[in-house]
Amino acid sequence: MMKFGIGTVFTISSLFKTFSGMAISLFALSIIGPEKIGLWHAALILKPYLGFAQLGLTEGLGRELPFYMGKNRGAKVKRYVANAQIVTLMYTLVSILLTLLLTFLVAEGIEEKMVFVTAGVFISTMFVDNYLSSTYRSTSSFQDLSRVYIYSAIIGLLLIPLIYYYDFRGYMWLLLVHSLISTILLVYFRPFKLKSKFDKLIYMATVKTGFPMLALNFLRSIPETYPKILIIFFISTTALGLTAPANAALMAFGVLPAALAKYFYPTITYQYGKDGNRYNLWLKIKQISGYLLLLGLAGLISLTIIPYAIENFFPKYAEAVYITMLAVGIGFLRMYSILYNVFNTLKSYRAQFKVSMTRNILYLIIPSVMYFMDSKEDSLVMIFSGLLIAEFISTLVMIYFLYQVTHIKKS
């Protein structure tokens, strides 16, 4: 792993992990119909909202660790980690208890119980994964995180036969087992093996930094659930299931940005902690934007493949061809979300709020208006067309404010 730069190794391992996840999802779509896939997607619709319960703990940790590492304050870094560890453990235990309670009191039938348990494990491990991912910040730790991603991807691929032999139940088993193993690997390779210790001052400092980031990131990202809610309440869960190929396209375009963000964010924050130069961040933004443009344009070639692929390999989703093609455009624009991390690095909360609020309003209004103005025969197409317009405008707004916050002169 030392023959290449750690950034390259980490990016490749992240891509491998994500592509393996996509392969699993696509195989599941070829076996399982939209009715049950829609049930699973509906079960996860609350996941982004539940992450809000941490009050920005991991967001604050993710910002402060590389910042104080840049200032060479190792003792303070350890205090932040030890505190976040005990708080995360408490959230995880509460989540597990609530999952067991809801499974036995609310869920009916074996498949519905499996959906509840799997969704509960997803959410419980989310707390642990978010915390641990925030602690991988040094060069050596990124090497270990690369190993975690590779092992996790291989295990996921080896579990694919469960879907073939057991259909939807096998898919739930795969997701359940894979989620648990991935978290265990993160725990095993964790860079800080410290005793948990609650520190009130550190906790308050972490939340003070992280809560505005969480609230603003939440405000910006939560609109992506609006179309799902619209589809569930005004169309059906089967229609939500039909969006699975479109979601796969969105995931494909999010692969590289997601991988880069895990390395890009702590790296620029570390550098900003050292030199305090805002303009250098703008130079980095331009560099990353150029790469994203080239990669995104190459990805648009998929528009010529999608109709053939869906009709021949996923015939149960034949009605989803047009919305999947629209999702390619949306995914291309969402690649630029990696740049949003610069607001967190600079703690530019006012600009961040304007960007997040703009996206929220656009996602709420445009797709809804287009849906209710339509005859309902092409309702999914109208919703996704609205999403494309909303994403285009919000991306331009984000870039404008990034320019503003990186060109503030020191007084």
Side-chain angles (χ1 to χ4, degrees), residues 288-305:
I288 295 294
S289 295
Y291 293 148
L292 292 175
L293 178 62
L294 292 175
L295 291 166
L297 290 175
L300 292 178
I301 297 173
S302 62
L303 289 171
T304 63
I305 303 172

Side-chain angles (χ1 to χ4, degrees), residues 139-280:
T139 299
S140 60
S141 67
F142 274 117
Q143 289 177 333
D144 286 335
L145 189 55
S146 297
R147 293 188 180 94
V148 171
Y149 286 168
I150 292 171
Y151 299 155
S152 175
I154 292 172
I155 291 168
L157 293 173
L158 291 175
L159 292 172
I160 283 181
L162 286 172
I163 304 174
Y164 180 80
Y165 288 108
Y166 300 103
D167 201 82
F168 182 67
R169 295 186 184 185
Y171 186 39
M172 291 296 100
W173 276 113
L174 183 153
L175 294 173
L176 182 65
V177 173
H178 186 246
S179 178
L180 289 171
I181 292 177
S182 297
T183 299
I184 290 170
L185 287 170
L186 280 172
V187 172
Y188 180 78
F189 284 102
R190 68 192 187 279
F192 294 96
K193 295 178 171 63
L194 306 172
K195 290 184 178 180
S196 300
K197 182 180 180 181
F198 183 74
D199 187 320
K200 183 179 179 180
L201 293 178
I202 289 293
Y203 175 75
M204 295 303 296
T206 308
V207 171
K208 183 179 179 181
T209 296
F211 186 77
M213 294 179 185
L214 172 66
L216 293 168
N217 289 340
F218 179 83
L219 186 64
R220 182 182 183 277
S221 62
I222 209 62
E224 293 172 20
T225 66
Y226 293 167
K228 296 177 182 179
I229 295 172
L230 185 66
I231 292 169
I232 290 175
F233 281 95
F234 292 98
I235 310 179
S236 66
T237 54
T238 298
L240 182 63
L242 282 172
T243 66
N247 291 331
L250 291 172
M251 184 186 297
F253 273 88
V255 169
L256 189 60
L260 288 174
K262 290 186 175 75
Y263 190 74
F264 171 74
Y265 177 36
T267 300
I268 63 171
T269 305
Y270 176 87
Q271 191 60 42
Y272 183 64
K274 289 184 68 174
D275 61 32
N277 193 318
R278 289 172 176 260
Y279 185 71
N280 284 342

Side-chain angles (χ1 to χ4, degrees), residues 6-51:
I6 184 57
T8 301
V9 173
F10 181 73
T11 300
I12 292 173
S13 65
S14 297
L15 292 174
F16 179 50
K17 176 178 178 290
T18 307
F19 278 125
S20 71
M22 290 175 58
I24 293 170
S25 297
L26 291 174
F27 187 80
L29 294 184
S30 68
I31 302 292
I32 306 168
E35 299 85 1
K36 291 183 178 179
I37 291 294
L39 179 64
W40 168 239
H41 286 176
L44 289 179
I45 203 166
L46 291 177
K47 184 180 177 183
Y49 296 87
L50 294 174

Side-chain angles (χ1 to χ4, degrees), residues 104-123:
F104 288 105
L105 296 181
V106 179
E108 299 179 357
I110 184 64
E111 288 191 347
E112 191 169 319
K113 289 183 183 297
M114 289 185 69
V115 168
F116 269 67
V117 170
T118 305
V121 169
F122 257 53
I123 293 166

Side-chain angles (χ1 to χ4, degrees), residues 76-91:
K76 192 161 189 174
V77 167
K78 291 181 179 179
R79 289 177 64 193
Y80 271 97
V81 173
N83 173 76
Q85 190 167 277
I86 185 64
V87 177
T88 300
L89 179 61
M90 291 170 59
Y91 276 111

